[in-house]
Amino acid sequence: MAESRQTRLQVKCPTCQTAVVWKPENTFRPFCSQRCKLIDLGGWADEEYTVTAQEEGLLEISEFECIYR
């Protein structure tokens, strides 16, 4: 029963929107292929995607050095 449940779980490939079965045998998940995975990686390398960082609470270098002296 667990196997039939896994085969029904499908996601869309983030790159081409093709339906992808989510199971361990799919080494490229959530992508449909290595090509789509590399296209996405290239997008990160070209800085097409960003992750916002919360800068509050980050230590200044001088504060960090004081902690470890």
Side-chain angles (χ1 to χ4, degrees):
M1 182 165 174
E3 178 63 30
S4 64
R5 185 175 180 193
Q6 282 184 341
T7 56
R8 288 185 289 171
L9 181 59
Q10 291 187 353
V11 296
K12 288 185 179 181
C13 173
T15 304
C16 69
Q17 303 302 307
T18 300
V20 178
V21 176
W22 189 274
K23 59 183 179 178
E25 293 82 30
N26 180 359
T27 58
F28 304 114
R29 67 179 190 264
F31 303 98
C32 65
S33 65
Q34 184 175 13
R35 177 182 175 273
C36 283
K37 188 176 182 177
L38 291 175
I39 289 171
D40 185 73
L41 179 61
W44 284 103
D46 289 340
E47 298 182 1
E48 294 174 14
Y49 312 121
T50 59
V51 177
T52 57
Q54 187 177 18
E55 293 187 23
E56 298 172 28
L58 293 177
L59 295 175
E60 294 293 324
I61 292 175
S62 60
E63 292 178 52
F64 182 75
E65 289 174 351
C66 291
I67 294 173
Y68 287 101
R69 284 192 182 179

